[in-house]
Amino acid sequence: MADSGVTDGAEKKEDITRVKNEGKELSKEEKQRLRKEKKSQKKNKEKKDEQDALASEREKNCAPSTLSQPAAHKEPAASPPVQAAVSEPPAPAAGAPPADKPAKSKAELKAERRARQEAERASKPGKKGDPGPQSTAGKPKAPPSELQPVVKRLPEHVQVDNPEVLKKLAKKLERQQTPGRGAALKIPLRSDYGYKVSLFSHLHQYSRKAPLTQQLSIPSTVIHPVIVRLGLQYSQGIVAGSNARSVALLHAFKQVIRDYVTPPNEELSRDMVNKLKPYISFLNQCRPLSASMGNAIKYIKKEISNIPSQCKEEEAKTKLQDCIDRYIREKIVLAASAISKYAIEKISDGDVILVYGCSSLVNHILCEASEKHRKFRVIVVDSRPRLEGREALRRLVKHGISCTYVLISALSYVLPEVSKVFLGAHALLANGYVMSRVGTSQIALVAKAFNVPVLVCCETYKFCERVQTDSFVSNELDDPDDLMVTRKGKTQLEGWQQVSQLGLLNLVYDVTPPDFVDLVITDLGMIPCTSVPVVLRVKNVDQ
Amino acid sequence: MPGADKNTDLSERIEAFLADLKRGGTGAGPLRGSAETARETTALLRRITAQARWSSAGDLMEIIRKEGRRMTAAQPSETTVGNMVRRVLKIIREEYARSRGSSEETDQQESLHKLLTSGGLSEENFRQHFPTLKANVIEAINELLTELEGTTYNIAMQALEHIHSNEVIMTIGRSRTVEDFLKDAARKRKFHVIVAECAPFCQGHKMATSLSQAEIETTVIPDAAIFAVMSRVNKVIIGTQTVLANGGLRAVNGTHTLALAAKHHSTPLIVCAPMFKLSPQVPYFPFSPSHSYEQRSVTHSLWWVRREILSKVNVYCPVFDYVPPELITLFISNIGGNAPSYIYRLMSELYHPEDHEL
């Protein structure tokens, strides 16, 4: 078919070039056909190269006299067996096919090849490829079954110790550059910093003093400046906290959509998604994406690909911006109000509430509760090296709430007088574990030992389908230099890099087992930790 | 008069020691370890025995009790001072009993049988004068001093029995006993140590640098990550400030969290504490801050706060934590390893029940 395709395609190409010159927009079928031709031509070119290589090999290996005749007019027919031979190791193939070939006919070989290609495609589940020359029009949709086998590809950021994965990432970043422009405009690969504790050698560890943006040339035509600024804000910790990061991301994407212009002969729904891919890789390099950001990106991509092709560009862009606004309003702002409403029912007068770090949602709840004239006081627990509790303290004191401030090591000292613990979450995993700032699990553990109820507040857009049982397999390592501290003019850990046996570990997240958590307050209501997969299923059915 | 000179010299030394104790508590003076304090207390008590005027054991005990009360009042959290005073009082009782010729065991232990049969007499007066008592007591105190000097070595000697290769050991803050323990084991075995830094003073940093210089692979973690990494830890080895009479600990803040995390993961918690840290105090509940906790200066944790916020906020910075005995697996002391349930017995061998209240 590939052979016939070469002759057919030539005619079709003439049609298409004519249409292009006339400047009309191609219809969808023509565009699809054009893409198919491009793909098949590429494949032919590759095949021809391999064929040449193998043919020269074969001629070297076998006796030239016996095979010269059959080899010469086997060239066109040899292309199918060569392709079949490519999938097997070339060495035995070089010997076997020349003997087999005279026996099989052309049609049988074609069928063989097709079968092999289907088998290969079926064995690569994670790859989403455009329909190749073999498939019929339209992708066959996988029937939605009750127990869909999920074969996920392991994310790159937890395979840092695998050099092949790193090479693949580097190649992917190269491919995402504007073609033919040169190395200065591609997305750089960020390098790790410092000695990594061996338990975490599979994770990245970056230094805050070397942000990714230093390696970019300005102006960068690959990455929109709004995204560059966002990446810098993420990596320096200026925008921190999962809600803040998601909202900033969505606003940045809105700006990107506003500035987007559909290139000729491209569909908005496909091209925009492709344009977003390098931005997402860049942001991932600046700081690994959070679960909430991942869900937001999935939503945007779905909305973009659902844009009907006859929609005009301006209309489509306005529609997308409205979608984003609605997402922010529904999933973040309104959810926060709903959660406050439920949570305020749980706060009674005379309560002593313990909070940890700075969770925007928990702060919102407490401020609303104090506006509704509940009488309570708050104990803010903070921990090094981030010391985010300072921000929470500032916000609460501004609202006139009486506060106490302690470090996390004083937890056993304050807990006897605490009546409730309110915690925020970064993500809720499908097995009921709560992923949150490091130290949360400790608070839940000690609260359980003192019989103090622990309530976790989390919006549903942070629920994710991952499962995790400990804080090692998937985490984020922050800059280890943050642990250094100067007391009485002396920095004890200065020069820790030179000491070969010394390592500093600055974890960002940890997972809390569900038996420490008494209640999860979400915008759908108050649920136990184990009901998270139910909520996920309901969400998937809705969408 | 020579006697008067000796007296003034003695009282000067006592005053100097008290001032030192007071200063050490506020953190202004040089920080001294408990071992040093114990040694200096014992040396001072020996001097008092040698130089003060006393005729009978009872007088001596009165003098020592008086000085002991002053010393413990100067720095209540430094319990080794009180412990040493009680040890010396016990020594005096023993020597007195030995000089009198009666055996020690029957005199000391109060049993129901004894209460019934003795019927209220035999109120020990300690008024008898024995010429050799002074020399005996001083010799016994010298033995005590030798014992004190060897405590760290004795504990470190047991290290290889408890640490195997490729272990991950967790510790918190800085304890000289644990440092020597680990360094001794590192001579023969290779293992990994995780040190929790123990904010806000971050003594853990000094511990980590010292261990890494002894070629032990060390990692420093912030206090918030204790539970997160506990699942990979094989043993938790900590030091303590005081061992209480019920087998519980008064240790540096954050230790209770560490103990709870270890219990949750069923990781053994080993406490390296020399015998002079054993105190007859008991924790009483509710454990109120005014009694046994101490607050250090909070400026370390608050330098960043603006004045208008600071005036509306309470800040606590406790120094010690109470760890109940159920969370502890083993005590390693200079006389060997013991379970927490055995501590009461060890205490009865070290101190006389009447000396529990000085």
Side-chain angles (χ1 to χ4, degrees):
Chain A
M1 168 131 166
D3 300 316
S4 53
V6 174
T7 44
D8 264 0
E11 293 165 3
K12 287 186 191 135
K13 253 187 95 179
E14 281 172 22
D15 281 345
I16 289 166
T17 41
R18 212 189 317 130
V19 173
K20 256 196 223 176
N21 293 338
E22 286 171 24
K24 263 197 247 160
E25 258 205 14
L26 296 170
S27 70
K28 190 170 186 179
E29 298 82 51
E30 285 174 328
K31 280 194 195 151
Q32 263 190 353
R33 228 186 305 147
L34 183 61
R35 230 175 286 116
K36 279 188 204 164
E37 298 316 325
K38 280 192 194 157
K39 268 253 137 60
S40 60
Q41 279 172 18
K42 224 202 255 178
K43 259 200 176 145
N44 271 345
K45 199 165 152 292
E46 279 174 29
K47 252 189 284 166
K48 283 222 170 63
D49 292 337
E50 285 160 8
Q51 188 182 301
D52 290 334
L54 268 175
S56 55
E57 235 187 83
R58 233 186 294 144
E59 277 162 20
K60 282 190 211 140
N61 290 344
C62 312
S65 55
T66 47
L67 283 179
S68 58
Q69 258 273 324
H73 81 90
K74 205 99 27 224
E75 287 287 276
S79 50
V82 166
Q83 185 160 41
V86 164
S87 56
E88 299 154 282
D100 281 346
K101 279 327 127 227
K104 295 189 187 154
S105 73
K106 224 178 182 178
E108 283 178 47
L109 293 165
K110 258 190 250 167
E112 224 178 291
R113 183 173 41 104
R114 209 173 293 151
R116 275 208 194 86
Q117 279 185 350
E118 294 289 9
E120 262 180 63
R121 206 172 292 125
S123 68
K124 290 177 198 167
K127 255 195 170 168
K128 298 178 216 151
D130 284 321
Q134 303 289 339
S135 68
T136 49
K139 276 186 242 182
K141 275 208 173 98
S145 57
E146 284 296 303
L147 301 162
Q148 233 169 358
V150 183
V151 179
K152 291 191 198 132
R153 214 176 8 166
L154 206 56
E156 175 275 325
H157 72 271
V158 296
Q159 291 192 81
V160 176
D161 54 352
N162 190 347
E164 287 173 19
V165 171
L166 288 179
K167 261 193 269 176
K168 267 196 208 153
L169 173 67
K171 274 205 198 136
K172 181 174 109 173
L173 292 176
E174 269 184 40
R175 264 189 280 127
Q176 284 170 352
Q177 62 172 316
T178 326
R181 282 298 195 105
L185 290 169
K186 68 170 181 192
I187 302 162
L189 185 64
R190 201 170 180 193
S191 52
D192 284 347
Y193 165 73
Y195 166 71
K196 254 192 284 189
V197 179
S198 56
L199 283 169
F200 292 96
S201 57
H202 61 290
L203 298 174
H204 283 296
Q205 181 171 281
Y206 299 131
S207 162
R208 194 165 298 123
K209 296 202 199 69
L212 198 59
T213 46
Q214 281 176 356
Q215 299 173 43
L216 281 181
S217 67
I218 308 286
S220 159
T221 52
V222 181
I223 307 177
H224 196 287
V226 136
I227 301 280
V228 174
R229 188 180 71 175
L230 188 65
L232 188 62
Q233 284 172 336
Y234 282 167
S235 68
Q236 299 301 103
I238 299 171
V239 173
S242 73
N243 275 345
R245 282 165 75 191
S246 307
V247 170
L249 177 74
L250 289 168
H251 281 299
F253 276 174
K254 259 173 66 177
Q255 181 67 37
V256 165
I257 291 172
R258 263 199 291 272
D259 295 337
Y260 173 76
V261 171
T262 321
N265 306 330
E266 288 288 349
E267 253 186 70
L268 181 133
S269 60
R270 276 184 212 283
D271 186 61
M272 193 184 279
V273 176
N274 285 339
K275 279 267 165 23
L276 288 182
K277 278 196 194 141
Y279 300 162
I280 296 168
S281 311
F282 173 72
L283 290 176
N284 203 8
Q285 292 266 292
C286 288
R287 193 174 159 192
L289 298 179
S290 64
S292 51
M293 287 163 75
N295 287 344
I297 289 173
K298 256 192 245 168
Y299 173 77
I300 292 182
K301 282 192 177 166
K302 193 172 74 76
E303 287 298 314
I304 293 177
S305 40
N306 281 347
I307 298 265
S309 54
Q310 58 267 26
C311 202
K312 287 220 203 48
E313 188 176 313
E314 278 313 311
E315 206 183 303
K317 279 164 50 166
T318 343
K319 189 157 171 271
L320 284 173
Q321 290 179 56
D322 283 339
C323 279
I324 292 182
D325 279 333
R326 201 177 58 226
Y327 188 82
I328 295 179
R329 198 176 55 244
E330 280 175 18
K331 304 280 185 178
I332 302 180
V333 178
L334 286 179
S337 322
I339 293 177
S340 316
K341 197 167 62 82
Y342 289 124
I344 288 176
E345 289 169 29
K346 292 289 177 192
I347 300 179
S348 18
D349 283 343
D351 261 351
V352 179
I353 297 180
L354 187 125
V355 299
Y356 176 60
C358 184
S359 162
S360 54
L361 187 55
V362 174
N363 290 341
H364 179 88
I365 292 172
L366 293 177
C367 296
E368 292 248 314
S370 95
E371 275 166 30
K372 292 206 163 66
H373 306 296
R374 299 283 172 146
K375 303 263 174 304
F376 59 92
R377 65 185 179 90
V378 175
I379 299 182
V380 178
V381 177
D382 203 5
S383 75
R384 281 198 74 237
R386 285 177 164 238
L387 292 174
E388 291 172 329
R390 305 180 281 182
E391 179 59 31
L393 194 65
R394 195 185 61 84
R395 290 188 202 172
L396 293 174
V397 170
K398 225 166 54 160
H399 272 84
I401 303 175
S402 70
C403 294
T404 308
Y405 178 84
V406 287
L407 286 179
I408 197 171
S409 38
L411 201 55
S412 317
Y413 177 69
V414 290
L415 261 172
E417 51 183 22
V418 170
S419 55
K420 292 187 182 69
V421 177
F422 272 84
L423 299 172
H426 169 89
L428 235 60
L429 305 176
N431 58 343
Y433 278 64
V434 179
M435 181 177 220
S436 185
R437 185 67 79 221
V438 68
T440 311
S441 54
Q442 217 164 292
I443 301 222
L445 168 80
V446 185
K448 190 88 185 173
F450 281 85
N451 277 326
V452 176
V454 174
L455 292 88
V456 171
C457 306
C458 184
E459 299 96 333
T460 46
Y461 88 104
K462 289 183 187 161
F463 285 21
C464 84
E465 278 162 7
R466 259 181 340 117
V467 290
Q468 201 175 321
T469 51
D470 60 36
S471 321
F472 292 88
V473 289
S474 174
N475 206 328
E476 197 186 318
L477 294 178
D478 210 356
D479 194 349
D481 287 337
D482 287 344
L483 285 182
M484 297 203 294
V485 72
T486 309
R487 296 264 180 257
K488 297 183 184 159
K490 209 168 102 109
T491 310
Q492 196 60 242
L493 291 177
E494 204 159 11
W496 66 274
Q497 310 252 30
Q498 278 77 43
V499 183
S500 58
Q501 308 286 13
L502 189 56
L504 302 183
L505 184 61
N506 192 355
L507 283 178
V508 181
Y509 299 118
D510 72 6
V511 283
T512 308
D515 21 343
F516 292 159
V517 176
D518 292 305
L519 191 65
V520 178
I521 306 181
T522 67
D523 39 324
L524 294 177
M526 300 196 262
I527 59 174
C529 239
T530 44
S531 296
V532 171
V534 176
V535 171
L536 280 171
R537 187 152 156 205
V538 164
K539 261 197 341 171
N540 282 342
V541 166
D542 279 345
Q543 289 169 1
Chain B
M1 272 169 54
D5 283 342
K6 264 205 236 168
N7 266 342
T8 48
D9 179 50
L10 183 61
S11 47
E12 266 174 29
R13 280 182 193 268
I14 295 177
E15 294 306 320
F17 184 62
L18 286 176
D20 229 5
L21 276 180
K22 275 208 191 96
R23 251 187 326 175
T26 57
L31 222 52
R32 55 170 47 185
S34 330
E36 265 180 60
T37 318
R39 267 198 297 274
E40 289 195 16
T41 316
T42 317
L44 189 62
L45 291 173
R46 184 180 57 184
R47 195 176 278 278
I48 294 176
T49 315
Q51 293 179 355
R53 292 165 137 236
W54 52 278
S55 54
S56 68
D59 292 339
L60 180 58
M61 278 168 48
E62 257 319 302
I63 295 174
I64 289 188
R65 233 186 243 127
K66 188 171 92 148
E67 295 304 329
R69 255 174 269 153
R70 281 179 69 202
M71 287 196 275
T72 46
Q75 189 51 261
S77 71
E78 193 59 71
T79 46
T80 44
V81 174
N83 296 345
M84 288 299 106
V85 169
R86 293 182 185 96
R87 285 291 284 275
V88 169
L89 288 173
K90 170 113 184 190
I91 286 175
I92 297 172
R93 282 174 203 267
E94 277 176 10
E95 292 302 326
Y96 182 79
R98 198 177 302 142
S99 307
R100 256 190 24 158
S102 56
S103 69
E104 298 116 44
E105 286 103 43
T106 49
D107 271 343
Q108 287 174 26
Q109 284 175 22
E110 288 186 7
S111 70
L112 212 51
H113 181 232
K114 267 189 65 187
L115 279 173
L116 283 173
T117 52
S118 56
L121 56 101
S122 81
E123 256 287 323
E124 264 298 345
N125 246 347
F126 294 101
R127 289 289 156 214
Q128 254 182 306
H129 174 77
F130 293 107
T132 52
L133 187 62
K134 191 174 204 171
N136 287 346
V137 168
I138 292 184
E139 198 185 309
I141 296 184
N142 283 337
E143 276 176 24
L144 178 60
L145 271 173
T146 342
E147 183 197 315
L148 286 179
E149 269 159 41
T151 48
T152 319
Y153 174 70
N154 283 330
I155 293 179
M157 242 180 23
Q158 304 171 53
L160 283 175
E161 292 169 27
H162 297 282
I163 299 179
H164 61 76
S165 310
N166 283 338
E167 271 209 275
V168 179
I169 295 177
M170 186 182 264
T171 184
I172 187 170
R174 177 158 191 245
S175 162
R176 265 156 281 241
T177 317
V178 174
E179 213 179 299
D180 290 335
F181 190 80
L182 293 174
K183 282 184 181 168
D184 197 87
R187 285 188 298 124
K188 296 272 171 59
R189 308 256 157 95
K190 267 231 132 343
F191 53 91
H192 190 124
V193 176
I194 299 179
V195 180
E197 65 179 10
C198 196
F201 301 105
C202 299
Q203 310 101 308
H205 292 188
K206 194 143 183 242
M207 175 85 155
T209 37
S210 154
L211 287 176
S212 57
Q213 275 159 10
E215 303 296 317
I216 303 177
E217 216 180 304
T218 321
T219 304
V220 178
I221 61 165
D223 298 330
I226 286 178
F227 185 71
V229 304
M230 181 59 80
S231 53
R232 296 292 176 272
V233 173
N234 299 120
K235 282 193 179 76
V236 180
I237 301 183
I238 55 174
T240 175
Q241 203 262 352
T242 306
V243 180
L244 300 167
N246 66 342
L249 298 182
R250 191 199 296 154
V252 76
N253 69 335
T255 313
H256 189 212
T257 310
L258 183 65
L260 283 171
K263 185 84 181 183
H264 181 261
H265 287 100
S266 298
T267 310
L269 178 68
I270 297 177
V271 181
C272 290
M275 273 291 113
F276 63 78
K277 286 191 178 168
L278 183 56
S279 159
Q281 285 175 5
V282 257
Y284 37 91
F285 301 100
F287 213 27
S288 65
S290 58
H291 293 280
S292 308
Y293 282 117
E294 190 187 291
Q295 310 262 1
R296 281 272 161 80
S297 143
V298 296
T299 48
H300 283 302
S301 36
L302 276 189
W303 56 271
W304 47 268
V305 181
R306 295 205 306 261
R307 225 175 300 126
E308 53 269 23
I309 302 183
L310 198 50
S311 53
K312 303 185 185 123
V313 170
N314 291 330
V315 180
Y316 293 126
C317 184
V319 181
F320 298 121
D321 251 351
Y322 167 66
V323 182
E326 303 81 68
L327 302 176
I328 303 168
T329 317
L330 186 69
F331 279 99
I332 296 183
S333 67
N334 44 315
I335 55 176
N338 300 105
S341 47
Y342 192 63
I343 293 292
Y344 81 97
R345 191 83 196 165
L346 290 175
M347 221 188 41
S348 69
E349 285 172 25
L350 291 179
Y351 313 124
H352 193 273
E354 282 176 22
D355 293 332
H356 287 341
E357 280 296 320
L358 275 183

